[in-house]
Amino acid sequence: MEVTTYSVVCRRVGNWWAISVPELKGVHTQARRLDQVAAMAREAIALLLDVDPDRVEVDVRPELPGMVSVALDARREARDADERAERATATAVLALLRDGYTVRDAGALLGLSPQRISQIAARNTTTPTSSAA
């Protein structure tokens, strides 16, 4: 069974989500809540095209208020910063231990417990693998 995916645009109008499908003229519907948009759009598309709703997939793209975009951008930046901090910490842990610092001293320098230093070192240390001929 072939499934077709349609982009669905929705925006808040009063207490409702106004839904449209730019690819299909005349497909408009509404939903009370954002979590209902996909089902309502799928049903409207299937009705217009006279196909089984299971053959319709939707990609819901809500119009975001400015403060939501700002919050999402800030959260994405925070995740990226966390990932950079994790990589930098792992690099520092391995370098400190390789240079002869104790686990306790590495922890004190990085503001982490010795246990956390050991976890990071274990997770980021690669052991050579041997292959049998």
Side-chain angles (χ1 to χ4, degrees):
M1 174 169 54
E2 186 178 328
V3 176
T4 306
T5 302
Y6 295 92
S7 294
V8 173
V9 179
C10 61
R11 64 183 176 87
R12 192 78 174 156
V13 177
N15 291 328
W16 294 86
W17 286 93
I19 305 164
S20 62
V21 182
E23 299 161 69
L24 300 171
K25 287 190 181 217
V27 177
H28 302 282
T29 188
Q30 60 186 8
R32 188 61 105 160
R33 297 188 326 257
L34 184 57
D35 65 345
Q36 298 169 334
V37 168
M40 294 299 292
R42 191 176 297 109
E43 189 176 308
I45 293 166
L47 185 63
L48 176 78
L49 300 177
D50 194 27
V51 297
D52 185 329
D54 291 337
R55 293 183 52 201
V56 176
E57 285 292 322
V58 295
D59 178 22
V60 177
R61 297 173 185 212
E63 190 177 279
L64 302 175
M67 68 254 177
V68 172
S69 295
V70 170
L72 290 175
D73 288 345
R75 291 175 63 194
R76 190 176 310 106
E77 289 170 10
R79 272 193 310 276
D80 292 347
D82 282 345
E83 290 172 8
R84 285 192 309 277
E86 287 295 322
R87 286 191 303 271
T89 299
T91 299
V93 164
L94 295 176
L96 289 170
L97 296 179
R98 190 174 41 251
D99 289 347
Y101 287 81
T102 65
V103 169
R104 191 169 297 282
D105 285 345
L109 289 171
L110 291 167
L112 299 170
S113 70
Q115 294 84 356
R116 184 67 185 129
I117 296 296
S118 294
Q119 289 172 340
I120 293 168
R123 187 178 67 220
N124 290 282
T125 302
T126 57
T127 56
T129 57
S130 59
S131 58

